[in-house]
Amino acid sequence: MRIVLLGAPGAGKGTQAKRLADRFHMRHLSSGDILRAEKSSGSDLGKTLAQYMDAGKLVPDDVVVRVMAQAIAAPRQETGLLLDGFPRTVPQARALDVQLEALGAPLDLVAAIDVPESLIVERITGRRSCPQCGEAYHVRFLPPRQAGVCDKCGSRLVQRDDDKEEVVRKRLAVYREQTEPLVEYYRRKDAGKVLFFDGAKAPDAVTADMVETLGRYQQSEG
Ligand code: AP5
């Protein structure tokens, strides 16, 4: 399956993407993780990215499309693809359509995770992430077994540079303006391929809903 995950900052895209990728043997590509890795490398491109990311702005389309096109084209074992955080604008979605059509591997589904904005700031400001393996936690909703330490690899957890409240509010405004219109973009192409999930439920309940729906889709196609 090739799936795009849509949702506001803090909707739970990264949390669910890791679980779904394991469950359905898909390659999980997170544009945020890929851009953060470049940023922390200290390269010239990384320094440019930091100016956008730390301010809660989108990185320009041409840069993101180039970086993500390379990642998508890289040969990998997994046949499926789960895109998390990309595309995020209509021009990015068009570029992705062109690339996937050229690869003969069009999108199967768009999974949109809905969460009311009232829940988002608490979710994001309480997030802690593992700088080694990328696992995400929440100090209240998804705490690690030992405070501040990754369950999976034992590294010390960190808070992202863009998870401060004022930056989160900027990211939400950018989402509403530039990313939310993608739901309509995909619905106009094929409304049957756009699925909505209630992301206000607890993490395991969201996973259960998504696994059930995607499992049914996979069976109907296979
Ligand atoms: P990116 O890393 O993609 O950030 P985002 O979209 O803002 O999403 P988040 O990672 O904040 O949230 P998420 O939905 O993954 O939530 P998570 O699962 O972690 O992008 C960062 C920046 O990179 C952008 O601002 C931009 O500058 C740049 N960028 C990236 N892609 C780009 C693109 N395509 N074009 C241009 N620029 C781009 O969950 C959040 C927290 O809530 C966690 O603590 C988690 O434990 C908790 N949680 C998750 N689910 C639940 C639940 N159901 N109940 C309670 N808590 C939950």
Side-chain angles (χ1 to χ4, degrees):
M1 288 189 285
R2 285 170 298 276
I3 301 177
V4 163
L5 268 187
L6 288 180
K13 302 182 297 297
T15 303
Q16 299 303 331
K18 288 189 180 64
R19 299 174 179 195
L20 296 173
D22 282 350
R23 174 71 178 69
F24 293 104
H25 311 292
M26 291 182 285
R27 177 157 57 123
H28 169 208
L29 286 182
S30 154
S31 53
D33 287 350
I34 292 171
L35 295 171
R36 272 185 293 280
E38 185 67 41
K39 187 183 143 206
S40 55
S41 76
S43 66
D44 286 344
L45 173 59
K47 286 178 193 147
T48 307
L49 295 178
Q51 291 170 10
Y52 294 96
M53 296 171 74
D54 294 351
K57 296 178 184 165
L58 291 187
V59 170
D61 286 338
D62 59 330
V63 177
V64 181
V65 165
R66 181 161 35 87
V67 168
M68 291 305 291
Q70 274 171 10
I72 290 167
R76 289 290 290 264
Q77 237 182 351
E78 303 92 331
T79 47
L81 182 63
L82 186 55
L83 292 170
D84 156 16
F86 177 83
R88 225 165 170 114
T89 63
V90 171
Q92 290 180 20
R94 291 204 181 104
L96 176 66
D97 287 344
V98 170
Q99 184 182 12
L100 292 182
E101 267 160 40
L103 292 171
L107 280 182
D108 292 294
L109 294 172
V110 174
I113 304 179
D114 277 330
V115 175
E117 278 198 24
S118 56
L119 296 180
I120 284 186
V121 174
E122 188 185 6
R123 278 198 188 180
I124 295 193
T125 51
R127 170 167 48 199
R128 300 292 180 271
S129 322
C130 177
Q132 279 305 317
C133 70
E135 194 67 15
Y137 299 88
H138 191 281
V139 290
R140 187 168 150 217
F141 304 129
L142 211 58
R145 285 192 291 273
Q146 186 187 340
V149 178
C150 180
D151 289 349
K152 287 207 166 156
C153 71
S155 302
R156 188 138 287 279
L157 302 177
V158 296
Q159 192 167 17
R160 267 169 46 176
D161 295 336
D162 59 347
D163 279 356
K164 301 179 198 86
E165 186 167 340
E166 67 277 15
V167 182
V168 173
R169 295 202 184 278
K170 171 72 185 166
R171 285 162 55 200
L172 276 170
V174 168
Y175 171 78
R176 277 195 300 270
E177 200 178 301
Q178 300 195 53
T179 307
E180 221 165 36
L182 281 184
V183 173
E184 204 39 47
Y185 170 86
Y186 284 119
R187 279 173 61 82
R188 247 186 264 132
K189 280 174 72 96
D190 186 346
K193 288 190 171 179
V194 183
L195 308 174
F196 294 90
F197 297 93
D198 178 3
K201 295 183 182 176
D204 289 350
V206 181
T207 308
D209 287 350
M210 298 187 87
V211 165
E212 195 205 327
T213 306
L214 298 184
R216 256 192 279 122
Y217 175 84
Q218 198 178 39
Q219 271 183 350
S220 71
E221 293 296 299

